[in-house]
C-alpha cells in the first residue's frame, strides 16, 4: 500500500457544523473552507494544531483517537503516560500513585514518556554540542511544528533536530521490555500512549523522520482522567515503586521544559501556534542569531495545553511544578540506547504552490492580484474562505467562483434587475450576454 | 501573457513595529509561486535589511519587486539624506545609525554588506539631501 503523505487527526461532525466562519478564520494554515454550508479541511494544509477544535463552539470539530475499549484488543498492555497527564491532578505528590493507578486500570506495565524524554534530552545535548553548523537546532517533539515546517519553511528543514520524540522512543523501549516480560509475540502486545493532543495520533500513524512508530493505540488524557481518579485514591494507600522519570523528563510537559533539559541558556522557547509562526518567520530571515536551540510548541503553555487535556494549561503548569519539587533532577539517564535517531529525511512539501511550474504560477498570481481588487477587502468570510485574497486564489485554482462573494453577487443582481426593468419598458432593445464570472 | 509580476510596497518611516511587513509579504508570495527556497531566502534577507535601512535612515520609502522568469529585482527608493560615501557604507561594521536605534539591536553596520552578500547584483544611486535608490537582483 502506498504510504499516505498527509494524515490528519481532526474530522468534522457534519450534523453539528453550522457553517459559521469561526474555524476558517482561526486556522493558521488557511486549511479550512466552508462549502455548501459545512466546513471542509484540506488535508495537505492541516498540521493538526487543534485550533479549530478549540474555537468551534458547536463542537463540530472532533479529534481522532482510540477508545478505552481498544485495550481489549491486546493480551499484554503497556501504558505510556505523557508528562502532561501528571499535571491534571490536584495535590499529586508522588508519581507512583498515578502510575500504580494505571496498573489498576488494566495495564500490565507502565513506561513513562518522561523517562524516554530524559534519554532524548541527553541525546539532544550531545547532538547540539557536536553540530554547530546546524545551530539553532529546532525541536521536533511537537508534530504540528514539524509538519508546519515541512509545508511552509523549506529553508529551516536542515535545522530540525533529527531525533525521535520521547513518545516514539518510549514506545520502542516499552515494546522491547514487554517482549521479554510477557514472552508473547509482538502483535499480542499493545502499546498505549495517553496523549494530550490529536497531533500525536497522526504522528504515530504516519510518522516523519522514522518509518514506523511502535505506538499501537492513542488514548485521550480526557478519557483516562476520570477513570484514574478513584483508582488513585486506592493506589495512594500502597503505591508500587514504578517511577523512572525525574524533573527533566516531566518538564517536557510544558513550554520551556525540553530546552531546560539541554542545560544551556542559549535557547528560545515559544508556544502557541501564532507565536511559533512568528518565530519561524524571523528565523528564516536570519533575524535570530547566536542561539543553539529553539523549542516550539503549537499549544499555549506547551503539551499541557493540548486539546485532549482536562485542566487549564496554566493551572496544569503550576501542578507540574509542585509535583516536580519532590522529584530528582533526572532518573533515566546515562543509558546508552541504540534507538532514537531519525532514519529518513524530511522533504519539503510545497503544497501551497499555485501552479505546477514558475510560469504557470506567475500567470495564476497575476489573475489573483486582479481578482482581489474586485472584492471589497472586508475579509468577511461569507464566501467560505478566510479572506478576499484566499477567495481569489481559490477561484484561480478552480475551486470557487466569483459569485461566492456576496458583494459581487449583490452587484450582479442589482445590474440584471435594472436591465430587466429596462427590458420591460423597452422590449426591443438588445442586451449583451453578461456573465458575472468573466 | 504576463511574464513578470510586480509587487509594490510603501514603507512607513520611524515605525519599527511595521518594519519587515513588506519583505514578509513578498516572501509569502514567492513561496506561493514555487520560487526555489534558496532564492527566497536570499531575497527575504536582502529585502528585510533594505527595509530596515529605509526605516532607520530615510523615513521610509517605496519598494518595487519585479519577479520575472529568470530573476527577481528589488528596487528600494527613499527620499532620505543620501549616502555620503557608498564604499564606506558597504564595509561590514560601518554604521551611522543613531544610539537609540542601536539599543534596539539594529545598526550593526551589516545592512548594505548583507544586501550585497545575499544578492547577485547591487546598484546604488544616491544624492545627498535627495534620496537613495538601491536596486538588487537575485538570479533564478
Amino acid at each position: 500500500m502506498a504510504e499516505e503523505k498527509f494524515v490528519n487527526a481532526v474530522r468534522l461532525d457534519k450534523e453539528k457544523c453550522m457553517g459559521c466562519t469561526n474555524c476558517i478564520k482561526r486556522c493558521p494554515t488557511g486549511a479550512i473552507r466552508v462549502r455548501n454550508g459545512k466546513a471542509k479541511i484540506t488535508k495537505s494544509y492541516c498540521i493538526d494544531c487543534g485550533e479549530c477544535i478549540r474555537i468551534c463552539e458547536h463542537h463540530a470539530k472532533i479529534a481522532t483517537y482510540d477508545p478505552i475499549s481498544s485495550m481489549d484488543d491486546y493480551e499484554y498492555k503497556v501504558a505510556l503516560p505523557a508528562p502532561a497527564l501528571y499535571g491534571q491532578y490536584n495535590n499529586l505528590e508522588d508519581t507512583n500513585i498515578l502510575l500504580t493507578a494505571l496498573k489498576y486500570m488494566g495495564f500490565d506495565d507502565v513506561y513513562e514518556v518522561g523517562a524516554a524524554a530524559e534519554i532524548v534530552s541527553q541525546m539532544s545535548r550531545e547532538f547540539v554540542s557536536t553540530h554547530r553548523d546546524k545551530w539553532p537546532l529546532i525541536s521536533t517533539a511537537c508534530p504540528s511544528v514539524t509538519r508546519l515546517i515541512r509545508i511552509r519553511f523549506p529553508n529551516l528543514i536542515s535545522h530540525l533536530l533529527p531525533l525521535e520524540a520521547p513518545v516514539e522512543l518510549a514506545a520502542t523501549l516499552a515494546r522491547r521490555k514487554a517482549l521479554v516480560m510477557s514472552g508473547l509475540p509482538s502483535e499480542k502486545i499493545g502499546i498505549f500512549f495517553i496523549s494530550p493532543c490529536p497531533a500525536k495520533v497522526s504522528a504515530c500513524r504516519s510518522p516523519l523522520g522514522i518509518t514506523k512508530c511502535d505506538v499501537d493505540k492513542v488514548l485521550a488524557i480526557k478519557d483516562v482522567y476520570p477513570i484514574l481518579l478513584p483508582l488513585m485514591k486506592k493506589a495512594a494507600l500502597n503505591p508500587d515503586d514504578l517511577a523512572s522519570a525525574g524533573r527533566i523528563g516531566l518538564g517536557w510537559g510544558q513550554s520551556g521544559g525540553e530546552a531546560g533539559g539541554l542545560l544551556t541558556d542559549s535557547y528560545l522557547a515559544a508556544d502557541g501556534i501564532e507565536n511559533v509562526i512568528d518565530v519561524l518567520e524571523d528565523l528564516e530571515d536570519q533575524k535570530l542569531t547566536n542561539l543553539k536551540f529553539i523549542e516550539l510548541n503549537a499549544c499555549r503553555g506547551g503539551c499541557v495545553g493540548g486539546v485532549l487535556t482536562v485542566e487549564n494549561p496554566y493551572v496544569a503548569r503550576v501542578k507540574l511544578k509542585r509535583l516536580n519539587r519532590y522529584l530528582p533532577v533526572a532518573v533515566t539517564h546515562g543509558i546508552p540506547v541504540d534507538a532514537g535517531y531519525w532514519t529518513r529525511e524530511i522533504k519539503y512539501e510545497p503544497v501551497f504552490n499555485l501552479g505546477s511550474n514558475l510560469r504557470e504560477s506567475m500567470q495564476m498570481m497575476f489573475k489573483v492580484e486582479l481578482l482581489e481588487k474586485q472584492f471589497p477587502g472586508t475579509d468577511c468570510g461569507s464566501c467560505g474562505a478566510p479572506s478576499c485574497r484566499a477567495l481569489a486564489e481559490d477561484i484561480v485554482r478552480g475551486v470557487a467562483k466569483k459569485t461566492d462573494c456576496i458583494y459581487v453577487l449583490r452587484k450582479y443582481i442589482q445590474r440584471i434587475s435594472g436591465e430587466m426593468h429596462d427590458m420591460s419598458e423597452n422590449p426591443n432593445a438588445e442586451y449583451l450576454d453578461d456573465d458575472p464570472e468573466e | 501573457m504576463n511574464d513578470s509580476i510586480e509587487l509594490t510596497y510603501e514603507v512607513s518611516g520611524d515605525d519599527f513595529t511595521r518594519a519587515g511587513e513588506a519583505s514578509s509579504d513578498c516572501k509569502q508570495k514567492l513561496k506561493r509561486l514555487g520560487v526555489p527556497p534558496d532564492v527566497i531566502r536570499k531575497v527575504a534577507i536582502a529585502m528585510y535589511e533594505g527595509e530596515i535601512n529605509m526605516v532607520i535612515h530615510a523615513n521610509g520609502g517605496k519598494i518595487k519587486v519585479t519577479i520575472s522568469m529568470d530573476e527577481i529585482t528589488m528596487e528600494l527608493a527613499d527620499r532620505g539624506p543620501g549616502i555620503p560615501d557608498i564604499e564606506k557604507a558597504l564595509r561590514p561594521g560601518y554604521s551611522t545609525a543613531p544610539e537609540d536605534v542601536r539599543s534596539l539591536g539594529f545598526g550593526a553596520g551589516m545592512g548594505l554588506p548583507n544586501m550585497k552578500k545575499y544578492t547577485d547584483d547591487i546598484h546604488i544611486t544616491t544624492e545627498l539631501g535627495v534620496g537613495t535608490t538601491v536596486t538588487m537582483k537575485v538570479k533564478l
Side-chain angles (χ1 to χ4, degrees), chain A residues 104-166:
Chain A
Y104 290 166
M105 188 182 153
F107 289 103
D108 297 280
D109 196 11
V110 179
Y111 197 104
E112 293 180 87
V113 174
E118 291 182 353
I119 302 173
V120 177
S121 285
Q122 184 191 331
M123 293 166 75
S124 302
R125 283 196 289 274
E126 194 190 306
F127 194 91
V128 171
S129 67
T130 52
H131 291 80
R132 226 193 148 91
D133 56 314
K134 289 181 185 287
W135 287 359
L137 280 145
I138 304 170
S139 158
T140 49
C142 174
S144 290
V145 172
T146 310
R147 267 150 221 262
L148 176 67
I149 291 172
R150 176 173 77 141
I151 59 171
R152 200 164 143 180
F153 296 95
N155 287 312
L156 299 178
I157 289 177
S158 63
H159 289 273
L160 291 172
L161 182 69
L163 299 180
E164 288 185 358

Coordinates of all heavy atoms in Angstrom, one line a residue, chain A residues 104-166:
Chain A
Y104 N -3.9 -0.5 38.0 CA -5.2 -0.9 38.4 C -6.2 -0.8 37.3 O -7.2 -1.5 37.2 CB -5.7 0.0 39.6 CG -4.9 -0.3 40.9 CD1 -5.1 0.7 41.9 CD2 -4.1 -1.4 41.1 CE1 -4.4 0.5 43.1 CE2 -3.5 -1.6 42.3 CZ -3.6 -0.6 43.3 OH -2.9 -0.8 44.5
M105 N -6.0 0.1 36.4 CA -6.9 0.4 35.3 C -6.9 -0.8 34.3 O -7.8 -1.0 33.5 CB -6.5 1.7 34.6 CG -7.4 2.2 33.5 SD -6.8 3.7 32.7 CE -7.6 3.5 31.1
G106 N -5.8 -1.6 34.4 CA -5.8 -2.8 33.5 C -4.5 -2.9 32.7 O -4.4 -3.8 31.9
F107 N -3.6 -2.0 32.9 CA -2.3 -2.1 32.1 C -1.4 -3.0 32.9 O -1.3 -3.0 34.1 CB -1.7 -0.7 32.0 CG -2.4 0.2 31.0 CD1 -3.2 1.2 31.4 CD2 -2.3 -0.1 29.6 CE1 -3.9 2.0 30.5 CE2 -3.0 0.7 28.7 CZ -3.8 1.8 29.2
D108 N -0.7 -3.9 32.1 CA 0.3 -4.8 32.7 C 1.5 -4.1 33.1 O 2.2 -4.6 34.0 CB 0.5 -5.9 31.7 CG -0.7 -6.7 31.4 OD1 -1.1 -7.6 32.2 OD2 -1.4 -6.4 30.4
D109 N 1.9 -3.1 32.4 CA 3.1 -2.3 32.7 C 2.9 -0.9 32.3 O 2.0 -0.5 31.6 CB 4.3 -2.9 32.0 CG 5.6 -2.5 32.6 OD1 5.7 -1.9 33.7 OD2 6.7 -2.7 31.9
V110 N 3.8 0.0 32.9 CA 3.8 1.4 32.6 C 5.2 1.8 32.2 O 6.2 1.4 32.8 CB 3.4 2.2 33.9 CG1 3.4 3.7 33.6 CG2 2.0 1.7 34.4
Y111 N 5.3 2.5 31.1 CA 6.6 3.1 30.7 C 6.4 4.6 30.5 O 5.7 5.1 29.6 CB 7.1 2.5 29.3 CG 8.6 2.7 29.1 CD1 9.5 1.6 29.3 CD2 9.0 3.9 28.8 CE1 10.8 1.8 29.2 CE2 10.4 4.1 28.7 CZ 11.3 3.1 28.8 OH 12.6 3.3 28.7
E112 N 7.0 5.3 31.4 CA 6.8 6.8 31.4 C 7.4 7.5 30.2 O 8.6 7.2 29.9 CB 7.4 7.4 32.7 CG 6.6 7.0 33.9 CD 7.3 7.7 35.1 OE1 6.9 8.8 35.4 OE2 8.1 7.1 35.7
V113 N 6.7 8.3 29.5 CA 7.2 9.0 28.4 C 8.3 10.0 28.9 O 9.3 10.2 28.2 CB 6.1 9.8 27.6 CG1 6.7 10.7 26.5 CG2 5.1 8.8 27.0
G114 N 8.1 10.4 30.1 CA 9.1 11.3 30.8 C 10.5 10.6 30.9 O 11.5 11.3 30.9
A115 N 10.5 9.3 31.1 CA 11.7 8.5 31.2 C 12.5 8.6 29.9 O 13.7 8.9 29.8 CB 11.5 7.1 31.6
A116 N 11.7 8.3 28.8 CA 12.3 8.4 27.4 C 12.8 9.8 27.1 O 13.8 10.0 26.5 CB 11.4 7.9 26.4
A117 N 12.0 10.8 27.7 CA 12.4 12.2 27.4 C 13.7 12.5 28.0 O 14.5 13.3 27.4 CB 11.3 13.1 28.0
E118 N 14.0 11.9 29.1 CA 15.4 12.2 29.7 C 16.5 11.6 28.8 O 17.6 12.2 28.8 CB 15.4 11.6 31.1 CG 14.5 12.4 32.1 CD 14.5 12.0 33.5 OE1 15.1 10.9 33.8 OE2 13.9 12.7 34.3
I119 N 16.2 10.5 28.2 CA 17.2 10.0 27.2 C 17.3 10.9 26.0 O 18.4 11.2 25.6 CB 16.8 8.5 26.8 CG1 16.7 7.6 28.0 CG2 17.8 8.0 25.8 CD1 16.2 6.2 27.7
V120 N 16.1 11.4 25.6 CA 16.2 12.3 24.4 C 16.9 13.6 24.8 O 17.7 14.1 24.0 CB 14.7 12.6 23.9 CG1 14.8 13.6 22.7 CG2 14.1 11.3 23.4
S121 N 16.7 14.1 26.0 CA 17.4 15.3 26.5 C 18.9 15.0 26.4 O 19.7 15.9 25.9 CB 17.0 15.6 27.9 OG 15.7 16.2 28.0
Q122 N 19.3 13.9 26.9 CA 20.7 13.5 26.9 C 21.3 13.5 25.4 O 22.3 14.0 25.1 CB 20.9 12.2 27.6 CG 22.3 11.7 27.7 CD 22.3 10.2 28.2 OE1 21.4 9.7 28.8 NE2 23.3 9.5 27.8
M123 N 20.5 12.8 24.5 CA 20.9 12.7 23.1 C 21.0 14.1 22.5 O 21.8 14.4 21.6 CB 20.0 11.8 22.3 CG 20.1 10.3 22.8 SD 18.7 9.4 22.2 CE 19.1 9.2 20.4
S124 N 20.0 15.0 22.9 CA 19.9 16.3 22.3 C 21.1 17.1 22.7 O 21.7 17.8 21.9 CB 18.7 17.0 22.8 OG 17.5 16.3 22.5
R125 N 21.5 17.0 24.0 CA 22.7 17.7 24.5 C 23.9 17.4 23.6 O 24.7 18.3 23.2 CB 23.0 17.4 25.9 CG 22.0 18.1 26.9 CD 22.6 18.1 28.3 NE 22.6 16.7 28.9 CZ 21.6 16.2 29.6 NH1 20.4 16.9 29.7 NH2 21.6 15.0 30.1
E126 N 24.0 16.1 23.3 CA 25.2 15.6 22.6 C 25.1 16.1 21.1 O 26.1 16.7 20.6 CB 25.2 14.1 22.6 CG 26.5 13.5 22.2 CD 26.4 12.0 22.0 OE1 26.0 11.4 23.0 OE2 26.8 11.5 20.9
F127 N 23.9 16.0 20.5 CA 23.8 16.4 19.1 C 24.0 17.9 19.0 O 24.7 18.3 18.0 CB 22.4 16.0 18.6 CG 22.3 16.1 17.1 CD1 22.6 14.9 16.3 CD2 22.0 17.2 16.5 CE1 22.5 15.0 14.9 CE2 21.9 17.3 15.1 CZ 22.2 16.2 14.3
V128 N 23.4 18.7 19.9 CA 23.5 20.1 19.7 C 25.0 20.5 19.9 O 25.5 21.4 19.1 CB 22.7 20.8 20.8 CG1 23.0 22.3 20.8 CG2 21.2 20.6 20.5
S129 N 25.7 19.9 20.8 CA 27.1 20.4 21.0 C 28.0 19.9 19.9 O 29.1 20.5 19.7 CB 27.6 19.8 22.4 OG 27.7 18.4 22.3
T130 N 27.6 18.9 19.1 CA 28.5 18.4 18.1 C 28.1 18.9 16.7 O 28.7 18.5 15.7 CB 28.6 16.9 18.1 OG1 27.3 16.3 18.1 CG2 29.4 16.4 19.3
H131 N 27.0 19.7 16.6 CA 26.5 20.1 15.3 C 26.3 21.6 15.2 O 25.3 22.1 15.0 CB 25.2 19.4 14.9 CG 25.4 17.9 14.6 ND1 25.6 17.0 15.6 CD2 25.6 17.3 13.4 CE1 25.8 15.8 15.0 NE2 25.8 16.0 13.7
R132 N 27.4 22.3 15.4 CA 27.5 23.8 15.4 C 26.9 24.3 14.1 O 26.3 25.4 14.1 CB 28.9 24.2 15.6 CG 29.1 25.3 16.5 CD 30.6 25.8 16.4 NE 30.5 27.3 16.7 CZ 30.7 27.7 17.9 NH1 31.0 26.9 18.9 NH2 30.6 29.0 18.2
D133 N 27.2 23.6 13.0 CA 26.8 24.1 11.7 C 25.3 24.1 11.5 O 24.8 24.8 10.6 CB 27.4 23.2 10.6 CG 27.0 21.7 10.8 OD1 27.2 21.2 12.0 OD2 26.6 21.0 9.8
K134 N 24.6 23.4 12.4 CA 23.1 23.4 12.3 C 22.4 24.3 13.3 O 21.2 24.3 13.4 CB 22.6 21.9 12.5 CG 22.9 21.0 11.3 CD 22.4 19.6 11.6 CE 22.8 18.6 10.5 NZ 22.1 18.8 9.2
W135 N 23.2 25.0 14.1 CA 22.6 25.9 15.0 C 21.8 27.0 14.3 O 22.2 27.5 13.3 CB 23.7 26.6 15.9 CG 24.3 25.7 16.9 CD1 24.0 24.4 17.1 CD2 25.4 26.1 17.8 NE1 24.8 23.9 18.1 CE2 25.7 24.9 18.5 CE3 26.1 27.2 18.0 CZ2 26.7 24.9 19.5 CZ3 27.1 27.2 19.0 CH2 27.3 26.1 19.7
P136 N 20.6 27.4 14.9 CA 20.0 26.8 16.0 C 19.2 25.6 15.6 O 18.6 25.6 14.6 CB 19.0 27.9 16.5 CG 18.7 28.6 15.2 CD 19.9 28.6 14.4
L137 N 19.3 24.5 16.4 CA 18.5 23.3 16.1 C 17.1 23.6 16.6 O 16.9 24.2 17.6 CB 19.2 22.1 16.8 CG 20.4 21.6 15.9 CD1 21.5 21.1 16.8 CD2 19.9 20.6 14.9
I138 N 16.2 23.1 15.8 CA 14.8 23.3 16.1 C 14.2 22.0 16.6 O 14.3 20.9 16.0 CB 14.0 23.7 14.9 CG1 14.6 25.0 14.3 CG2 12.5 24.0 15.3 CD1 14.0 25.4 13.0
S139 N 13.5 22.0 17.8 CA 12.9 20.9 18.4 C 11.9 20.2 17.4 O 11.2 20.9 16.7 CB 12.2 21.3 19.7 OG 11.2 20.3 20.0
T140 N 11.9 18.9 17.5 CA 10.9 18.2 16.6 C 9.9 17.4 17.5 O 9.3 16.5 17.0 CB 11.7 17.2 15.7 OG1 12.6 16.4 16.5 CG2 12.5 17.9 14.6
A141 N 9.8 17.7 18.7 CA 9.0 16.9 19.6 C 7.5 17.2 19.4 O 6.6 16.4 19.5 CB 9.3 17.2 21.1
C142 N 7.2 18.4 18.9 CA 5.8 18.8 18.6 C 5.5 18.5 17.2 O 6.1 19.1 16.3 CB 5.5 20.3 18.9 SG 3.8 20.8 18.4
P143 N 4.7 17.5 16.9 CA 4.5 17.1 15.5 C 3.8 18.2 14.6 O 4.1 18.2 13.4 CB 3.6 15.8 15.6 CG 3.1 15.7 17.0 CD 4.0 16.6 17.8
S144 N 3.0 19.0 15.3 CA 2.4 20.1 14.5 C 3.5 21.1 13.9 O 3.4 21.5 12.8 CB 1.4 20.9 15.3 OG 0.3 20.1 15.6
V145 N 4.5 21.3 14.8 CA 5.5 22.3 14.3 C 6.3 21.6 13.2 O 6.6 22.3 12.2 CB 6.4 22.6 15.5 CG1 7.6 23.4 15.1 CG2 5.6 23.4 16.6
T146 N 6.7 20.4 13.4 CA 7.5 19.7 12.3 C 6.7 19.7 11.0 O 7.2 19.9 9.9 CB 7.8 18.2 12.8 OG1 8.3 18.3 14.1 CG2 8.8 17.6 11.9
R147 N 5.4 19.4 11.1 CA 4.5 19.4 9.9 C 4.4 20.8 9.3 O 4.4 20.9 8.1 CB 3.1 18.8 10.2 CG 3.1 17.3 10.0 CD 2.1 16.6 10.9 NE 2.7 15.4 11.4 CZ 2.4 14.2 10.8 NH1 1.6 14.1 9.8 NH2 3.1 13.1 11.2
L148 N 4.4 21.8 10.1 CA 4.3 23.1 9.6 C 5.6 23.5 8.8 O 5.5 24.0 7.7 CB 4.1 24.1 10.8 CG 4.1 25.6 10.5 CD1 2.9 26.0 9.6 CD2 4.2 26.5 11.7
I149 N 6.7 23.1 9.4 CA 8.0 23.4 8.8 C 8.1 22.7 7.4 O 8.5 23.2 6.4 CB 9.2 23.1 9.7 CG1 9.2 24.1 10.9 CG2 10.5 23.1 9.0 CD1 10.2 23.7 12.0
R150 N 7.6 21.5 7.4 CA 7.6 20.6 6.2 C 6.9 21.3 5.0 O 7.2 21.1 3.9 CB 7.0 19.3 6.5 CG 7.0 18.4 5.3 CD 6.5 16.9 5.6 NE 5.1 16.8 5.9 CZ 4.4 15.8 5.5 NH1 4.9 14.8 4.9 NH2 3.1 15.7 5.8
I151 N 5.8 22.0 5.3 CA 5.0 22.6 4.2 C 5.2 24.0 4.0 O 4.8 24.6 3.0 CB 3.5 22.3 4.4 CG1 2.9 22.9 5.7 CG2 3.1 20.8 4.3 CD1 1.4 22.9 5.8
R152 N 5.8 24.7 5.0 CA 5.9 26.2 4.9 C 7.3 26.8 5.0 O 7.5 27.9 4.6 CB 5.0 26.8 5.9 CG 4.6 28.2 5.5 CD 3.4 28.6 6.3 NE 3.5 30.0 6.7 CZ 2.6 30.7 7.3 NH1 1.5 30.1 7.8 NH2 2.8 31.9 7.6
F153 N 8.2 26.1 5.6 CA 9.6 26.7 5.9 C 10.7 25.8 5.3 O 11.5 25.2 6.1 CB 9.7 26.9 7.4 CG 8.8 27.9 7.9 CD1 7.6 27.5 8.5 CD2 9.0 29.3 7.8 CE1 6.7 28.5 9.0 CE2 8.1 30.2 8.3 CZ 7.0 29.8 8.9
P154 N 10.8 25.7 4.0 CA 11.8 24.8 3.4 C 13.2 25.1 3.8 O 14.0 24.2 4.0 CB 11.6 25.1 1.9 CG 10.9 26.4 1.8 CD 10.0 26.5 3.0
N155 N 13.5 26.4 4.1 CA 14.9 26.8 4.5 C 15.2 26.4 5.9 O 16.4 26.5 6.3 CB 15.1 28.3 4.3 CG 15.2 28.6 2.9 OD1 15.9 28.0 2.1 ND2 14.4 29.7 2.5
L156 N 14.3 25.9 6.7 CA 14.5 25.5 8.1 C 14.6 24.0 8.3 O 14.9 23.6 9.4 CB 13.5 26.1 9.0 CG 13.4 27.7 9.0 CD1 12.3 28.2 9.9 CD2 14.8 28.3 9.4
I157 N 14.3 23.3 7.2 CA 14.3 21.8 7.4 C 15.6 21.3 7.9 O 15.7 20.4 8.7 CB 13.8 21.1 6.1 CG1 12.3 21.4 5.9 CG2 14.1 19.6 6.1 CD1 11.7 20.9 4.6
S158 N 16.7 21.9 7.4 CA 18.0 21.4 7.8 C 18.4 21.6 9.2 O 19.3 21.1 9.8 CB 19.1 22.0 6.9 OG 19.1 23.4 7.0
H159 N 17.6 22.5 9.9 CA 17.8 22.8 11.3 C 17.0 21.9 12.2 O 17.1 22.0 13.4 CB 17.4 24.3 11.6 CG 18.4 25.3 11.0 ND1 19.5 25.7 11.6 CD2 18.3 25.9 9.8 CE1 20.1 26.6 10.9 NE2 19.4 26.7 9.8
L160 N 16.2 21.0 11.7 CA 15.4 20.2 12.5 C 16.2 19.2 13.3 O 17.1 18.5 12.7 CB 14.3 19.4 11.7 CG 13.2 20.2 11.1 CD1 12.4 19.4 10.1 CD2 12.3 20.8 12.2
L161 N 16.0 19.0 14.6 CA 16.7 18.1 15.4 C 16.3 16.7 15.0 O 15.2 16.3 15.2 CB 16.4 18.3 16.9 CG 17.1 17.5 17.9 CD1 18.6 17.8 18.0 CD2 16.5 17.6 19.3
P162 N 17.2 15.9 14.4 CA 16.8 14.6 13.9 C 16.7 13.5 14.9 O 17.3 12.4 14.7 CB 17.9 14.3 12.8 CG 19.2 15.0 13.4 CD 18.7 16.2 14.2
L163 N 16.0 13.7 15.9 CA 15.8 12.7 17.0 C 14.3 12.4 17.1 O 13.4 13.3 16.8 CB 16.3 13.3 18.3 CG 17.7 13.6 18.5 CD1 18.0 14.1 19.9 CD2 18.6 12.4 18.2
E164 N 14.0 11.2 17.6 CA 12.6 10.8 17.8 C 12.0 11.6 18.9 O 12.7 12.1 19.8 CB 12.5 9.3 18.2 CG 12.8 8.4 17.0 CD 12.6 6.9 17.4 OE1 12.3 6.7 18.6 OE2 12.8 6.1 16.5
A165 N 10.7 11.8 18.9 CA 10.0 12.5 20.0 C 10.1 11.4 21.2 O 10.1 10.2 20.9 CB 8.6 12.8 19.6
P166 N 10.0 11.9 22.4 CA 10.1 11.0 23.6 C 9.1 9.8 23.5 O 9.4 8.7 23.8 CB 9.8 11.9 24.8 CG 10.4 13.2 24.4 CD 10.1 13.3 22.9

